[in-house]
Amino acid sequence: MILSSGLALIAVCLGTVGAQSVSLESKVVSYPPYVPVKQGAYIIELEDGSTAPSFSAFTESFKSIPNVSVSGQFDTLFNGCSVSAGSHVSAAQLARVAGVKRVWPVRYHTLPFRKSTVNITYPYLHHKTGVDRALQDLGLTGRGIKVGIVDSGVDYNHAELGNCWKTKDCPWQYGADFIGDKYDPSSLHPIVQPNPTPMDCDGHGTHVSGILAAQGPSVRGVAPGATYGMYRVFSCPINGKVSSSDEIILQGVEAAFKDGHDVISLSLGGGSWPEDPLSVACSKLAKQGVVVVAANGNDGANGLYTAGSPAVGHGVISVGSVDNWNITGSIAVISTPNGARSALMSTPGAESHPFVFGSDMPLLAPVDAAGSNTGCANFTTSLSGKVALIKRGICTFTQKAQNAQKAGAIGVIVYNNVAGMLSPSVDDSVTIPVVIIGQDDGQFAADGIAAGNSTVRAQKGEVGTFPATTGGQMSSFSSFGPSPELDIEPLVSAPGGNIWSTYPLKLGGYASLSGTSMATPYISGTVALLMQARPGLNVDEVRQILSNTAKPLADAVSGKLIHPYWSGSGLVNIYDAVMARAIASPSALSINTTDWSQAQALTRTITIRNTDNSKGVFVSLEGKAADSLSMYGTNGSLTAVPRIWPPSTAGTSPTMLPRVSTTSPYTYVPAGQSKDVLVFIIPPYGLKESERWFYGGFINLTLSWDRETAKSSLAVPFAGYNGNYRTVDVLSSPSTGLPALTDANQVVISDVSGLVVSGNSTALLLYTLDLPSRVIAATLVSSNGTTAGYLPFGYNEYTARNLPSGGNPLSGATITNIVFTDKEASQAVKVPAGRYRVQLAALRPLGDPNNSRDYQKWSSDLFSIA
Ligand SMILES: *[C@@H]1O[C@H](CO)[C@@H](O)[C@H](O)[C@H]1NC(C)=O
Ligand SMILES: *[C@@H]1O[C@H](CO)[C@@H](O)[C@H](O)[C@H]1NC(C)=O
Ligand SMILES: *[C@@H]1O[C@H](CO)[C@@H](O)[C@H](O)[C@H]1NC(C)=O
Ligand SMILES: *[C@@H]1O[C@H](CO)[C@@H](O)[C@H](O)[C@H]1NC(C)=O
Ligand SMILES: *[C@@H]1O[C@H](CO)[C@@H](O)[C@H](O)[C@H]1NC(C)=O
Ligand SMILES: *[C@@H]1O[C@H](CO)[C@@H](O)[C@H](O)[C@H]1NC(C)=O
Ligand SMILES: *[C@@H]1O[C@H](CO)[C@@H](O)[C@H](O)[C@H]1NC(C)=O
Ligand SMILES: *[C@@H]1O[C@H](CO)[C@@H](O)[C@H](O)[C@H]1NC(C)=O
Ligand SMILES: *[C@@H]1O[C@H](CO)[C@@H](O)[C@H](O)[C@H]1NC(C)=O
Ligand SMILES: *[C@@H]1O[C@H](CO)[C@@H](O)[C@H](O)[C@H]1NC(C)=O
Ligand SMILES: *[C@@H]1O[C@H](CO)[C@@H](O)[C@H](O)[C@H]1NC(C)=O
C-alpha cells in the first residue's frame, strides 16, 4: 500500500494543554497529507458581517501578528483575504483574530485535462446540440453577452480568435495575467510574475477559448459574437505540470466578477465539497447573478462521488462530457495478403517520435519469450527494421515498447483488446514511435500477418474520418455525482471527448483535447446564446431551462437511460432551450431517504411556469427510470465502475425501477401562469439497503399547446439514495483490511496488542473513505477511556473520498507519543506511557458534527506507548 505523499511526523512545539474548544468544528481547515499546499499561505474568510469599510482595520490586526503579511484581498466576491505567515505562525493563531470565519491553507492546483490524439472535424458537433440552428436559423452569436474565462491564457494572435487584444471590435476586451510563466509549486517560493497580457504558453486556455469564441473556418465557436475576457491563472508547463493555487484562481475569478461578466467559465477544479474555498466563492458569484459554469471533473474512472469543486458549489452549473461522434485523424495503411485497410491511429503524444513511415515497412506480430502476443516478456527474435504489432494487456505500453525497442523494432503498433480508442502514454525511455489502433483493425492486421508478408505505411497528413464507437455516449473520464450532500451533479453535459479546437500558434495552431474542460466552455457558449435570445433570465432560470431542455442519454447497447449522477439532465440542446415556452423547477430533485414515515422526504413539488402569454398548455407527466447504481460489487468490495440494477433488460418488472406517482398526471397551465404539481418518487422494490444503491430517472413533461398539434417535452432529473442516507458508512468495508495500524512502511501490524510506540518510533493509522466525510477525527484514547487528543494529521474537515486510481488512494494519521489537544493542531502534548487505542470517527453524510451518534466509529486494539 502506498500513500501518494508520505506521512511524516510533523515538527511540533510542545506546549501546555490548552482549553478544549467548545465547538466541535474547527475554524481551521486542514487538508489530508496528499493535498499539496503552499507553506505559510492561507485564505481567510471573514464573518459575513465584516464588510468592506472595516476591512482595512481587520487586515491591520493580521499585520500586527509578527511575520504575517496580507498578500491579497477579496473584497467583492469573497469576504476575506490571503496572508503569508512565517513558519512559526500557526493557522490557529490566525483563526483567533476577531471576525475570522475560516482559515484555509492555500492548495496548489494543476490543470486537469487529457491530451487526445487525433484530429477531429469540429462542425459535426453542432447539429447534435442545437447550436447549428441557434446560430443559423435564429442568428444568435452571443452578441452583447460578456463571458469571462479563467484558464491558462489565450493565444489572441490566432486568426480564428481575432488576432487582436483589447482593440476596437476585438472579441478580447477584458482580462489580465495573474501568474506569469514561472510558477513552480516544487520551489519554496513559487514565482508570481504576471505578464502584461494573458498570453497562453500551455494550450489549454487557447483550446477552451476556441470552443467558445473561434470565428472559423476550421473551428466554429459556440458563441463567436460574444465579448470575452481571459483571466490567466495557470502558468507555463514546468516538468510537465501546469500549476496554480487557490489564491491565484480566486484573484482571477474576483477580477472577472469586477469586470461585470454575465458568464464565468471555469475549466478547472479540485476538492469535492460546496464548502471548498473555490465553491464558496463561486456560490457567492451565482447569488450575485453571475452564471458560473464549471467542469465536473475527469475522475469518472473512479465512479461515484468524483464531482469536483467549484462544480459542486451551490448554484454553479456543473458540466459532464459526452464523446464526439466522428473522429478525424491520422491513419496507418495496413497492407496484407487479405487486402489493405486504413486504421485510425491514436498517438501517445510523443511529438519528437511521430509515427510517420512514408513507404511500406514490414509489419510483424512477434511472439515474446512467454509465448504471448502481448509483448510483456523479451522478444527472442530480432525485429530489426520492422514494425511490431502487439496486443494490449498484461503490462504497460512502456514495457511493450521497451521490449520491441530492445529487439530492434523501428515502431510499435499496439492494438486494443476491447472496443474503442484510448490514449496510451509511454515514458521517455521509449524512443521509437508508438501508436494504438482499434481492436478490429488490430485483428485484421494480425490475421493478415498470419497469412503472409504484411506492411504498414503512415504518411504525414494522411487522415480519415471514422465514426467513434463511443460517439454521443458519456466520456469514460467524466466524473460522477452526487455531491457529498446528495445534490445531483453534473447539471448538464456537452461534447468534451475528442474536441478539435484552436491551439497556440507556436504549438501548431490546432489540437484535439478531451476533458470536462472542453465540455465546460461549450455550455458557457450555449448560456451566452440563451442570454442573448432571452435577456433578463436569472441564474436559476438559466439552470432550469438548460436542464429542462437537455436530452437524457441512453446506453448504446441496452438502450436504458443513463443515471443523472453521470450525465445530469443529459446532452444540452440550446435551440430547444431558446425556444422553450415553459419552465419546470427545480432543475433537479434529490431524495435522501426511503423511509416512508418521512413522507415529506419523498414528496416534491414541481412548478410549471407557462412563459407564453398568449397560449395555455396541457402538461402530461410521466416517470422514466434509469438504472440504479451501487459503488459495491456483490461481495461488498468497492467497484470502480458502478454496478447497475436491474442487471439486464430481460425480466425487468416495473417494481425493480423507481416510479413517479402524481395526483395530477394531466395539468392545464393557462397563458402566462404557473401551476404546482406534487410528485411522489417511489423507490425501486427489492434493493437491499446494505448494498447501498442510488436510484434515478427523469420526470418527462409532455407539452401540448392550445391550437397546436406538435408536442414538445421538458425533463426534470431525479435521484435518491435507497435507504436512509444519514446511516451510510463512509469508511471502506472491513473486507479491505482497513482501517488498520501499520508500521512506518505501511505494513499492517497483525498483533496490535504487542505494538510499542516509543518517542523515536512511529506507527500509522491508515484508512480509506468510500464517501466524502465532513469531519474525520482520529484520537488517542487511554485504556481508562480518557481521550488524550488528536493524532498528528488526525483531524480533517470536508475531506474528499479516496480514489483507488487517483492521487489519494489512502488516508492516514501518525501515531507517536505526541497528540494535539486542539483541532487546529497548535497545542501539542506528550502523553504519559501506558496502554492506548486509536479511535477513528468519520461523520456520516448529512450528519450533525455535534452529535456523536452521527459518526461511524472504529477502534484499534490496545497497544503501548513507552
Ligand atoms: C455545534 O455546537 C457548537 C457549540 O454549541 C455550535 O456553535 C455549532 O454551531 C454547532 N454546530 C452545528 C453544525 O450544529
Ligand atoms: C520574522 O521576520 C523577521 C524579519 O523579516 C525575520 O528576521 C525573522 O527571522 C522572522 N521570524 C521567524 C520566526 O520567521
Ligand atoms: C460523421 O461524418 C459523416 C461524414 O463522414 C457525416 O455525414 C455525419 O453527419 C457525421 N456524423 C455526426 C454525428 O456528426
Ligand atoms: C492535426 O491537425 C494539425 C493541423 O491541421 C496538423 O498539423 C497535425 O499534424 C494533425 N495531427 C494529427 C495527429 O493528425
Ligand atoms: C530481457 O533482456 C534483458 C537484456 O536486454 C535482460 O537483462 C533481462 O534479464 C531479460 N529478461 C528476461 C525475463 O529474460
Ligand atoms: C516475404 O518477405 C521475404 C523477405 O522479407 C521474402 O523473402 C519472401 O519472398 C516474401 N514472401 C512473399 C510471399 O512475398
Ligand atoms: C432529507 O432532507 C430533508 C430536507 O430536504 C430533511 O428535512 C430531512 O431530515 C433529510 N432526511 C434525512 C434522512 O437526512
Ligand atoms: C470481490 O470481487 C471482485 C471482483 O468482482 C474481486 O476483484 C475482489 O477481490 C473481491 N473482493 C473480495 C474481498 O472478495
Ligand atoms: C419524453 O416524452 C417525449 C414525448 O413527449 C418523448 O419524445 C421523449 O423521448 C421522452 N423522453 C424520455 C427521456 O423518455
Ligand atoms: C529508541 O530509543 C530507545 C530508548 O531510548 C532505544 O533503546 C532504541 O534503540 C531506540 N531505537 C531506535 C530505532 O533508535
Ligand atoms: C487515564 O489515563 C491517563 C493516561 O494514562 C491519565 O493521564 C489519566 O489520569 C487517567 N484518568 C483516570 C480518570 O484515571
Side-chain angles (χ1 to χ4, degrees):
M1 286 186 288
I2 296 171
L3 272 185
S4 61
S5 77
L7 290 167
L9 176 57
I10 52 171
V12 291
C13 328
L14 292 182
T16 50
V17 180
Q20 287 282 353
S21 42
V22 185
S23 155
L24 252 151
E25 285 185 295
S26 168
K27 282 184 179 176
V28 177
V29 172
S30 62
Y31 291 112
Y34 57 75
V35 175
V37 296
K38 186 174 176 186
Q39 289 309 310
Y42 300 95
I43 291 178
I44 314 264
E45 189 188 7
L46 305 184
E47 293 292 354
D48 289 337
S50 317
T51 46
S54 64
F55 184 84
S56 56
F58 182 83
T59 61
E60 282 311 313
S61 43
F62 280 117
K63 289 180 189 153
S64 69
I65 305 176
N67 295 43
V68 173
S69 61
V70 175
S71 51
Q73 283 189 198
F74 308 109
D75 46 349
T76 337
L77 146 73
F78 185 78
N79 192 25
C81 60
S82 55
V83 303
S84 35
S87 56
H88 65 296
V89 179
S90 74
Q93 246 173 301
L94 300 173
R96 281 196 285 271
V97 171
V100 168
K101 186 170 166 191
R102 234 160 153 75
V103 178
W104 285 287
V106 168
R107 285 171 308 183
Y108 287 122
H109 292 274
T110 52
L111 259 184
F113 76 96
R114 307 184 328 159
K115 189 164 180 166
S116 81
T117 47
V118 283
N119 283 344
I120 314 302
T121 9
Y122 190 83
Y124 294 142
L125 291 177
H126 291 336
H127 67 266
K128 292 286 189 178
T129 55
V131 165
D132 59 340
R133 293 181 72 193
L135 297 181
Q136 287 153 28
D137 303 357
L138 305 177
L140 297 170
T141 60
R143 187 160 308 286
I145 305 300
K146 287 162 66 177
V147 181
I149 307 169
V150 182
D151 213 293
S152 68
V154 56
D155 185 350
Y156 47 79
N157 293 329
H158 201 296
E160 296 205 32
L161 295 173
N163 188 15
C164 56
W165 181 251
K166 293 191 182 177
T167 51
K168 189 170 180 296
D169 296 331
C170 181
W172 303 100
Q173 289 297 329
Y174 301 92
D177 183 12
F178 294 85
I179 191 159
D181 300 346
K182 297 181 188 144
Y183 193 83
D184 180 4
S186 67
S187 78
L188 198 56
H189 300 288
I191 300 164
V192 176
Q193 212 170 62
N195 299 320
T197 65
M199 178 54 76
D200 182 15
C201 54
D202 172 60
H204 187 273
T206 303
H207 198 270
V208 161
S209 297
I211 292 168
L212 271 158
Q215 320 275 313
S218 176
V219 181
R220 258 189 89 76
V222 176
T227 301
Y228 288 96
M230 172 55 77
Y231 302 84
R232 181 187 180 214
V233 298
F234 281 92
S235 189
C236 295
I238 297 176
N239 298 325
K241 278 194 170 163
V242 181
S243 302
S244 186
S245 74
D246 281 333
E247 190 180 0
I248 294 166
I249 293 171
L250 281 175
Q251 282 168 6
V253 172
E254 181 159 290
F257 175 63
K258 283 182 178 164
D259 284 343
H261 289 289
D262 304 290
V263 185
I264 294 182
S265 191
L266 297 156
S267 291
L268 52 84
S272 76
W273 281 85
E275 286 75 10
D276 184 274
L278 296 179
S279 296
V280 169
C282 289
S283 305
K284 284 189 184 166
L285 275 176
K287 272 213 184 95
Q288 310 242 15
V290 181
V291 178
V292 188
V293 184
N296 202 43
N298 297 343
D299 283 316
N302 280 297
L304 299 175
Y305 293 103
T306 48
S309 157
V312 296
H314 300 298
V316 174
I317 294 177
S318 49
V319 184
S321 169
V322 165
D323 276 353
N324 201 352
W325 291 264
N326 274 340
I327 301 184
T328 298
S330 300
I331 54 168
V333 179
I334 294 164
S335 305
T336 76
N338 301 339
R341 179 160 169 154
S342 295
L344 183 68
M345 298 190 298
S346 169
T347 58
E351 274 141 29
S352 45
H353 319 296
F355 194 94
V356 174
F357 296 105
S359 59
D360 289 328
M361 306 308 287
L363 181 64
L364 290 189
V367 171
D368 62 24
S372 165
N373 57 0
T374 53
C376 295
N378 286 346
F379 291 112
T380 46
T381 50
S382 166
L383 302 176
S384 180
K386 312 264 182 2
V387 174
L389 178 78
I390 302 176
K391 192 171 187 171
R392 182 182 172 209
I394 302 183
C395 61
T396 63
F397 294 112
T398 298
Q399 271 168 296
K400 293 171 194 284
Q402 277 172 346
N403 288 339
Q405 188 171 310
K406 275 192 295 188
I410 54 171
V412 172
I413 300 177
V414 179
Y415 63 105
N416 208 346
N417 54 1
V418 294
M421 293 298 279
L422 70 166
S423 313
S425 63
V426 293
D427 70 25
D428 294 344
S429 66
V430 176
T431 56
I432 56 174
V434 181
V435 292
I436 189 157
I437 63 173
Q439 187 177 23
D440 290 355
D441 293 336
Q443 201 52 55
F444 172 85
D447 292 347
I449 293 166
N453 288 354
S454 299
T455 58
V456 62
R457 180 189 82 217
Q459 271 158 345
K460 200 170 162 60
E462 204 172 357
V463 295
T465 295
F466 301 83
T469 48
T470 57
Q473 300 282 299
M474 286 305 289
S475 305
S476 58
F477 57 77
S478 194
S479 284
F480 285 79
S483 80
E485 289 155 357
L486 214 59
D487 287 339
I488 295 176
E489 311 287 350
L491 180 82
V492 65
S493 297
N498 294 320
I499 305 300
W500 172 236
S501 182
T502 48
Y503 218 49
L505 296 172
K506 277 185 191 156
L507 300 174
Y510 299 93
S512 179
L513 301 183
S514 293
T516 50
S517 282
M518 282 64 243
T520 297
Y522 203 98
I523 292 295
S524 300
T526 63
V527 171
L529 302 181
L530 180 62
M531 293 176 89
Q532 179 193 8
R534 303 176 69 166
L537 290 178
N538 65 34
V539 173
D540 281 343
E541 289 165 337
V542 168
R543 288 171 55 91
Q544 286 153 10
I545 294 174
L546 282 186
S547 173
N548 286 173
T549 55
K551 303 299 168 234
L553 293 165
D555 183 87
V557 177
S558 68
K560 294 192 284 188
L561 289 174
I562 301 292
H563 197 287
Y565 286 171
W566 200 16
S567 60
S569 50
L571 181 63
V572 68
N573 191 299
I574 195 58
Y575 182 82
D576 286 359
V578 168
M579 303 304 281
R581 288 180 284 165
I583 303 177
S585 61
S587 54
L589 304 177
S590 169
I591 299 111
N592 58 8
T593 181
T594 47
D595 181 354
W596 283 95
S597 65
Q598 293 197 33
Q600 257 341 67
L602 299 173
T603 307
R604 292 288 187 277
T605 304
I606 293 182
T607 302
I608 303 160
R609 183 148 68 90
N610 180 354
T611 56
D612 187 322
N613 288 321
S614 61
K615 284 182 177 176
V617 63
F618 274 103
V619 182
S620 71
L621 193 148
E622 187 189 13
K624 298 277 182 180
D627 280 331
S628 296
L629 305 179
S630 167
M631 305 169 72
Y632 300 93
T634 46
N635 63 8
S637 290
L638 195 68
T639 58
V641 177
R643 185 153 62 106
I644 59 169
W645 174 269
S648 66
T649 317
T652 300
S653 82
T655 60
M656 292 162 87
L657 304 170
R659 282 161 297 157
V660 176
S661 147
T662 174
T663 49
S664 349
Y666 304 98
T667 307
Y668 183 75
V669 188
Q673 293 191 24
S674 293
K675 276 263 174 82
D676 285 351
V677 177
L678 278 189
V679 293
F680 312 93
I681 312 291
I682 305 168
Y685 179 78
L687 286 179
K688 285 190 204 131
E689 185 164 347
S690 61
E691 293 188 355
R692 291 179 259 176
W693 289 95
F694 299 88
Y695 58 86
F698 298 83
I699 296 169
N700 199 356
L701 308 164
T702 303
L703 311 179
S704 313
W705 297 88
D706 288 349
R707 303 180 302 281
E708 287 180 23
T709 47
K711 293 181 179 185
S712 57
S713 70
L714 301 177
V716 177
F718 68 86
Y721 179 69
N722 183 64
N724 183 345
Y725 191 52
R726 277 179 193 263
T727 61
V728 186
D729 282 351
V730 292
L731 294 168
S732 62
S733 89
S735 70
T736 60
L738 296 176
L741 302 194
T742 75
D743 67 14
N745 297 320
Q746 303 187 9
V747 176
V748 172
I749 297 166
S750 48
D751 177 21
V752 169
S753 66
L755 169 67
V756 182
V757 176
S758 69
N760 56 8
S761 73
T762 57
L764 301 174
L765 162 69
L766 293 184
Y767 59 94
T768 51
L769 284 172
D770 285 359
L771 264 64
S773 179
R774 180 169 160 187
V775 178
I776 311 273
T779 46
L780 193 64
V781 180
S782 161
S783 56
N784 65 16
T786 312
T787 300
Y790 298 101
L791 301 181
F793 297 110
Y795 188 84
N796 292 112
E797 286 180 13
Y798 299 112
T799 309
R801 68 163 275 229
N802 292 103
L803 304 182
S805 66
N808 61 341
L810 281 174
S811 293
T814 311
I815 306 165
T816 77
N817 61 356
I818 288 161
V819 295
F820 294 98
T821 55
D822 63 339
K823 301 181 180 80
E824 294 80 11
S826 69
Q827 308 287 332
V829 293
K830 190 172 171 191
V831 298
R835 296 287 281 172
Y836 293 87
R837 68 176 86 241
V838 165
Q839 184 171 311
L840 179 63
L843 189 62
R844 296 178 191 275
L846 307 177
D848 172 359
N850 288 347
N851 185 345
S852 109
R853 278 176 314 184
D854 285 353
Y855 287 83
Q856 184 187 355
K857 293 189 186 125
W858 174 88
S859 281
S860 75
D861 287 340
L862 285 171
F863 57 91
S864 295
I865 291 188

